[in-house]
Amino acid sequence: MPARRKTFKSASSSFWMKSLGHLVAISSLCGIISGYSDRERVHDLMYKYPLIDGHNDLALQLRIRHNNRLSQIDLHNVSKVATDITRLQAGHVQAQMFAVYVMCGAQEKDAVRLTLEQIDVVRRMCTEYQDFQLVTSAQELRNSKDRQKIACLISIEGGHSIDSSLPALRMFYQLGVRSMALTHTCNTPWAESSSKLYNVYQRRNNSLTTFGKAVVEEMNRLGMIVDLSHTSWDTALAVLNHSKAPVIFSHSSSFSICDHSRNVPDRLLHELKKNRGLIMVNLHSNFISCRNEANISNVADHFDHIKSVIGAESIGIGGDFEGAVNFPRGLEDVSKYPALIQELLQRNWTEYELADVLRRNFLRVFEEVERVRDQLSANRPSEVQIPLEKVQNSCRLVLRPPNPKGLPSSSQALHGPKGLLILATVLLLSSSIMIE
Ligand SMILES: *[C@@H]1O[C@H](CO)[C@@H](O)[C@H](O)[C@H]1NC(C)=O
Ligand SMILES: *[C@@H]1O[C@H](CO)[C@@H](O)[C@H](O)[C@H]1NC(C)=O
Ligand SMILES: *[C@@H]1O[C@H](CO)[C@@H](O)[C@H](O)[C@H]1NC(C)=O
Ligand SMILES: *[C@@H]1O[C@H](CO)[C@@H](O)[C@H](O)[C@H]1NC(C)=O
Ligand SMILES: [Zn+2]
């Protein structure tokens, strides 16, 4: 992004290099008085260590507002949202985990199709625009910075997207998904949400079932980052105990500062540190101040607190833009990240710590997840299946041998061989229509 760099007077630009010492002294004195010097320092730091952000729901907004019709908009400048290419570049956002999120109402319905469609729109966005680059490895992520691209990582937000199927999980990996939040606001048949919004799959004292453990193991084997934002604390604890690789909270803040169930309590932070994982602080006002309004100072309090508990090496940023409506004053869109870094600099965070928070911590975690994958490379793909009684799903087609002696009962009609026959007929008809 050198072209943009010119818009910020860089401390290392030739003009300053050639300046007389006393001029520099005077100008930096003026800088301190006007606040300019800090801004310049932030932009230099973020030019060198541009942000890798953990969570953004632009794909959801593309569905809601544009029905995923990318041809109708210009991603350089999108109105009524907080994210577009122009503002990502202005905010020194060099990499973004884009969530592919489908509402919990789709669980046991068409969650898999909807997830595929969201993956499609992120893949299109990140391949049709030269400014973006879809990345699927830590090395590609590193290289994308040198190529001056905004790297796109795909993350599934909610385990209901895999419909309790490890083969579906593996196919999502093949499509480029490199992280998955185990739940959104609904429990899955195998993991528990922090939200009580839906009462499906409630369970007691079994927040990560045998199948849930198999999901975590398969994600470890594939090299897919486990994301614990949105899970219950019990589920988070069980995963932290079970995962062989570091995990992340891609967009959660500190429960000690704001006691919202989406935030992370200190005792879990200690477990996260043992796991060598990462908490990427969410900027949504309601998780920051527990109110609809917040300011940058409130956000920095979360960073200070988490640093005091587990150190700057365990912290990242997961803005959650497009996934929520209220954001702190001064942090209204993705171009505003430098204001947060400036606040942290003023609170005596070192440039080393901030470089960690901005990108090095995430790169370390991603690389370690890949290392664990390599260590597990002798393991075969898991063939664990969820017991049928655990998925209360009338849409689930179960293959059974034909039963010529009697017709299937009406409730089984679409599950048995007759259902398959109907399906085959429909497929034949639709293909002949397409041929015509
Ligand atoms: C974005 O588009 C709006 C009109 O939709 C225009 O007013 C604005 O100047 C544009 N911004 C940029 C950075 O191009
Ligand atoms: C479930 O866990 C709670 C604490 O979270 C405990 O009080 C209770 O006894 C447990 N119940 C069972 C059946 O183990
Ligand atoms: C952690 O895992 C061990 C077995 O690996 C188990 O004995 C222990 O109960 C687990 N602890 C929690 C909190 O899940
Ligand atoms: C931020 O909000 C807090 C209240 O939560 C207030 O005490 C503080 O003065 C505000 N800071 C700024 C810089 O506005
Ligand atoms: Zn979320």
Side-chain angles (χ1 to χ4, degrees):
M1 300 161 204
R4 227 180 46 257
R5 195 176 187 214
K6 287 184 205 127
T7 60
F8 311 113
K9 286 179 190 155
S10 163
S12 55
S13 73
S14 58
F15 172 77
W16 292 113
M17 303 280 264
K18 287 171 195 160
S19 294
L20 292 170
H22 73 275
L23 272 182
V24 172
I26 289 166
S27 67
S28 58
L29 186 65
C30 294
I32 288 160
I33 292 163
S34 68
Y36 178 76
S37 176
D38 273 347
R39 266 207 301 285
E40 178 185 274
R41 209 174 141 208
V42 167
H43 286 296
D44 280 350
L45 180 67
M46 292 186 79
Y47 177 77
K48 218 164 147 197
Y49 302 102
L51 176 63
I52 300 173
D53 182 89
H55 196 84
N56 184 294
D57 275 305
L58 181 60
L60 172 65
Q61 296 301 329
L62 292 176
R63 177 179 286 275
I64 293 173
R65 295 170 187 278
H66 303 285
N67 209 4
N68 284 359
R69 292 193 176 103
L70 279 186
S71 61
Q72 296 183 351
I73 53 172
D74 175 4
L75 283 177
H76 290 96
N77 182 7
V78 189
S79 58
K80 301 197 178 88
V81 297
T83 308
D84 55 29
I85 290 169
T86 307
R87 283 176 285 175
L88 286 167
Q89 289 174 338
H92 293 282
V93 183
Q94 190 270 314
Q96 180 65 65
M97 281 229 270
F98 284 107
V100 290
Y101 160 74
V102 307
M103 41 305 291
C104 273
Q107 175 154 237
E108 295 158 4
K109 295 193 181 73
D110 45 5
V112 174
R113 171 182 65 88
L114 289 166
T115 305
L116 285 167
E117 291 178 358
Q118 293 310 92
I119 292 172
D120 174 70
V121 81
V122 173
R123 290 186 61 106
R124 283 191 58 199
M125 166 173 117
C126 297
T127 51
E128 290 175 15
Y129 282 81
Q130 291 294 304
D131 306 273
F132 282 128
Q133 182 189 347
L134 184 69
V135 303
T136 55
S137 69
Q139 191 56 52
E140 283 173 3
L141 178 51
R142 283 184 188 283
N143 295 345
S144 66
K145 173 174 176 276
D146 301 331
R147 299 182 61 207
Q148 298 171 19
K149 303 278 188 184
I150 299 169
C152 305
L153 286 152
I154 305 177
S155 68
I156 290 176
E157 187 176 18
H160 56 288
S161 282
I162 65 168
D163 196 10
S164 300
S165 161
L166 297 181
L169 174 73
R170 287 192 285 271
M171 290 304 98
F172 284 135
Y173 180 89
Q174 291 297 328
L175 293 175
V177 175
R178 289 297 175 269
S179 171
M180 180 172 80
L182 298 190
T183 72
H184 191 254
T185 49
C186 46
N187 302 319
T188 63
W190 45 271
E192 214 167 53
S193 168
S194 65
S195 162
K196 306 278 175 272
L197 207 59
Y198 293 83
N199 62 7
V200 292
Y201 299 124
Q202 278 175 320
R203 64 181 73 81
R204 301 190 62 165
N205 301 36
N206 193 14
S207 27
L208 188 70
T209 68
T210 306
F211 185 78
K213 291 190 175 115
V215 171
V216 171
E217 287 163 21
E218 192 65 355
M219 290 176 76
N220 285 170
R221 191 190 67 84
L222 288 166
M224 198 189 278
I225 304 169
V226 178
D227 180 358
L228 297 179
S229 281
H230 286 287
T231 69
S232 73
W233 297 346
D234 283 350
T235 295
L237 201 59
V239 173
L240 282 161
N241 193 28
H242 198 70
S243 177
K244 289 194 171 66
V247 305
I248 62 172
F249 289 86
S250 69
H251 59 307
S252 295
S253 305
S254 163
F255 186 81
S256 286
I257 303 294
C258 160
D259 60 355
H260 192 291
S261 63
R262 275 283 281 103
N263 287 340
V264 184
D266 291 354
R267 65 184 172 86
L268 272 186
L269 290 179
H270 289 295
E271 297 304 314
L272 181 67
K273 187 169 181 70
K274 283 189 221 156
N275 162 270
R276 303 171 314 281
L278 196 60
I279 173 169
M280 308 181 85
V281 175
N282 189 318
L283 305 182
H284 175 38
S285 294
N286 300 67
F287 301 160
I288 289 297
S289 63
C290 285
R291 294 182 295 118
N292 290 338
E293 290 182 359
N295 59 38
I296 295 179
S297 168
N298 303 143
V299 177
D301 291 345
H302 285 260
F303 282 84
D304 279 345
H305 178 77
I306 298 171
K307 186 170 92 167
S308 76
V309 177
I310 52 172
E313 68 274 19
S314 310
I315 308 178
I317 300 175
D320 205 8
F321 287 106
E322 319 305 347
V325 278
N326 303 315
F327 283 87
R329 262 188 312 289
L331 291 176
E332 295 86 356
D333 65 54
V334 297
S335 72
K336 306 290 170 57
Y337 287 108
L340 171 61
I341 301 307
Q342 184 170 337
E343 171 74 19
L344 294 175
L345 267 177
Q346 282 161 359
R347 291 186 178 208
N348 294 322
W349 284 58
T350 66
E351 295 198 358
Y352 187 92
E353 289 168 338
L354 290 170
D356 277 356
V357 167
L358 284 164
R359 64 186 287 118
R360 291 193 303 216
N361 290 338
F362 183 84
L363 281 166
R364 183 195 71 228
V365 166
F366 196 9
E367 277 165 358
E368 195 160 341
V369 166
E370 291 180 337
R371 222 166 12 251
V372 170
R373 171 201 65 193
D374 294 343
Q375 284 160 7
L376 297 174
S377 62
N379 292 11
R380 308 284 298 274
S382 170
E383 295 181 347
V384 171
Q385 294 184 15
I386 197 159
L388 199 57
E389 65 274 15
K390 296 274 166 65
V391 277
Q392 307 151 11
N393 187 349
S394 61
C395 299
R396 224 172 171 86
L397 187 71
V398 180
L399 299 180
R400 291 201 184 89
N403 173 16
K405 283 185 187 154
L407 290 170
S409 74
S410 60
S411 72
Q412 290 175 319
L414 284 173
H415 296 199
K418 196 175 175 187
L420 277 181
L421 194 65
I422 293 168
L423 186 68
T425 312
V426 168
L427 285 174
L428 268 175
L429 280 174
S430 58
S431 62
S432 60
I433 288 165
M434 269 154 54
I435 290 162
E436 285 163 16

